[in-house]
Amino acid sequence: MGNVNRSNRKPIEKLILAWAAVAVLAVMLTGCWNRKELNELSIVLAVGIDSVGDQYELSLQVVDPSQMTRNKVSDRSPTRVYTEHASTLFEAFRKLTTKASRRMYFSHLQFVIFDEKTAKNGIKVPLDMLFRDHEIRPDFHLAIARKHSAKDIISFVTPSEVLPALDLSKSLKISEKLWAPTTAVNVLDIMQSLTETGIEPVLTGIELIGNPKKGMSLDNVKQPATYASYAYTGVGVFRGDRLVGWLNESDSKALTYISNKVVSTAAVVPCPELDGSFAVEVTHSHIKTIPLVKENKPGIRLEIFIEANLAEVQCQADIADEATFMEMQRAASEELKRVLLSGVHQAQHTYKSDIFGFGETFHRKFPELWREWKGEWAQMFSQLPVEIEMNYNLRRNGKITNPIENNPVIEE
């Protein structure tokens, strides 16, 4: 009898296994369980966060789907800006559902912009929701609106791209590569600098130039000369998550150099012992930051390797003369050294903010000493001696050997 029961059990077990396999396949073959239909979504490209009273003013730049089709209506803006106020960003996001017929979709977010008041109050709280939401990918860039609200910046009709957020994002990346005073900071950079010791955050500033009111209408792009434009200006310095001040163009360039983010840039240098100046194009830059400990005190040595071309000459220099050319190379090297030391001095003495990550280099190389120093690093950083070892090579002078008014020889 027992044998009969065991034999009857086998078909039952097989049946259970078969149904389990069917169930697994049914789950695997149902497609995207959390799919979202495009005609039910509004694609958010940019977020503006302003502080108004004790609340946040949240502004979202979203794509107008009617303008993304072949039969688009030409007199409509390609984007819409929705605004709502609340004490938390999450509440403001949800309140926006009363103003829009589609669900806001954040997976293609390109840019987040804070106004200066929000940045001075602290960006950790507004960033919490953006870090936490699983739908938001951690690859968007951030900036601070200067002299205007974040809402104004994301409402501006940009001249080059149909979608303003893409224009802002592309311009920031190109500017960082070709013009060193700007720095493209994404959300992962901010997260790292907010959670690690020995490095403070920075964010590039952006402002509107011209007539901002007209710049927010389609008329801004209906003629060659726009009513208003935008520009990235200065780098905001933080202590912790609070904005404490701004670096000017020259000091911002020092930050970009020391952070090894310079791909190419330009510099103007006074001509040695002559009236006028010359311009160089930096084609390669690398700075090695070396932490030093002398008598149990920290120090930094910057080993700098630069290659540059002569781009423009506005003085009566005889470039064909080797001694003159070497003097110009020395002058370019000294000018860069001045820029770097000025930027370091500003961060040390005006803001006491280690935006260069010098503390992090000590953390990596001298972890035991760092445990002693990290509690008072802000004060130690302000007194940190910084040495510069420069290796500057001026390579090419272009097709002509002397300024045009000196009857130059044109090289074939």
Side-chain angles (χ1 to χ4, degrees), residues 289-303 361-362 365-366 369 373 377 384-387:
T289 302
I290 301 175
L292 307 171
V293 178
K294 297 179 180 179
E295 299 179 355
N296 205 40
K297 293 183 179 180
I300 287 288
R301 182 168 73 244
L302 299 176
E303 294 183 354
T361 64
F362 284 101
K365 189 167 183 179
F366 304 107
L369 284 173
W373 294 343
W377 181 247
L384 188 73
V386 177
E387 307 170 4

Side-chain angles (χ1 to χ4, degrees), residues 11-295:
I12 295 174
E13 291 175 351
K14 290 181 179 180
L15 183 61
I16 292 173
L17 290 173
W19 277 109
V22 170
V24 171
L25 288 173
V27 171
M28 295 176 64
L29 298 176
T30 51
C32 298
W33 64 272
N34 64 341
R35 70 180 183 183
K36 299 176 178 68
E37 300 294 339
L38 286 176
N39 61 359
E40 298 174 356
L41 302 176
S42 286
I43 309 299
V44 179
L45 296 180
V47 173
I49 302 173
D50 294 293
S51 291
V52 180
D54 60 351
Q55 292 189 320
Y56 291 115
E57 181 181 56
L58 176 70
S59 302
L60 303 183
Q61 181 191 110
V62 303
V63 178
D64 182 350
S66 68
Q67 295 301 94
M68 297 295 105
T69 63
R70 291 182 179 180
N71 299 321
K72 63 181 180 180
V73 183
S74 59
D75 60 346
R76 288 178 59 131
S77 171
T79 59
R80 288 281 179 268
V81 174
Y82 295 93
T83 304
E84 190 53 82
H85 295 76
S87 58
T88 66
L89 290 186
F90 186 73
E91 183 184 6
F93 279 122
R94 288 303 175 92
K95 287 174 70 175
L96 280 171
T97 60
T98 64
K99 299 181 178 181
S101 60
R102 296 171 180 240
R103 182 182 180 278
M104 299 299 174
Y105 186 63
F106 290 88
S107 287
H108 297 285
L109 181 63
Q110 300 288 314
F111 230 101
V112 172
I113 298 176
F114 302 102
D115 72 332
E116 286 196 68
K117 184 178 179 180
T118 302
K120 289 176 179 178
N121 290 339
I123 60 174
K124 277 186 180 178
V125 172
L127 279 176
D128 181 87
M129 185 260 178
L130 300 176
F131 286 151
R132 195 177 300 276
D133 195 305
H134 69 278
E135 190 177 271
I136 301 176
R137 295 187 299 187
D139 58 358
F140 57 87
H141 287 85
L142 304 100
I144 302 173
R146 303 186 67 179
K147 303 178 184 178
H148 298 88
S149 67
K151 179 183 176 182
D152 287 344
I153 301 293
I154 70 168
S155 301
F156 172 69
V157 180
T158 52
S160 300
E161 297 285 344
V162 173
L163 300 175
L166 296 183
D167 198 316
L168 297 176
S169 181
K170 288 182 179 180
S171 175
L172 181 59
K173 293 175 184 177
I174 292 173
S175 179
E176 182 186 51
K177 288 183 178 180
L178 301 179
W179 182 237
T182 55
T183 180
V185 179
N186 65 32
V187 67
L188 292 178
D189 298 326
I190 283 290
M191 183 181 292
Q192 179 183 3
S193 56
L194 287 175
T195 56
E196 292 187 359
T197 58
I199 184 170
E200 298 285 5
V202 294
L203 285 178
T204 293
I206 182 172
E207 63 179 88
L208 298 179
I209 300 169
N211 188 329
K213 187 175 181 180
K214 287 188 175 182
M216 294 176 196
S217 70
L218 285 177
D219 290 340
N220 195 48
V221 293
K222 289 184 177 179
Q223 62 282 319
T226 58
Y227 293 114
S229 59
Y230 68 88
Y232 289 106
T233 57
V235 170
V237 177
F238 285 72
R239 276 205 304 268
D241 71 328
R242 297 174 184 269
L243 177 70
V244 294
W246 292 92
L247 298 179
N248 61 24
E249 184 177 279
S250 177
D251 294 336
S252 298
K253 185 177 286 192
L255 168 66
T256 312
Y257 267 109
I258 295 173
S259 303
N260 279 317
K261 291 187 176 181
V262 171
V263 177
S264 178
T265 189
V268 177
V269 183
C271 290
E273 300 180 2
L274 292 170
D275 294 332
S277 59
F278 64 96
V280 296
E281 176 197 17
V282 175
T283 57
H284 175 76
S285 170
H286 179 73
I287 295 183
K288 187 176 182 180
T289 302
I290 301 175
L292 307 171
V293 178
K294 297 179 180 179
E295 299 179 355

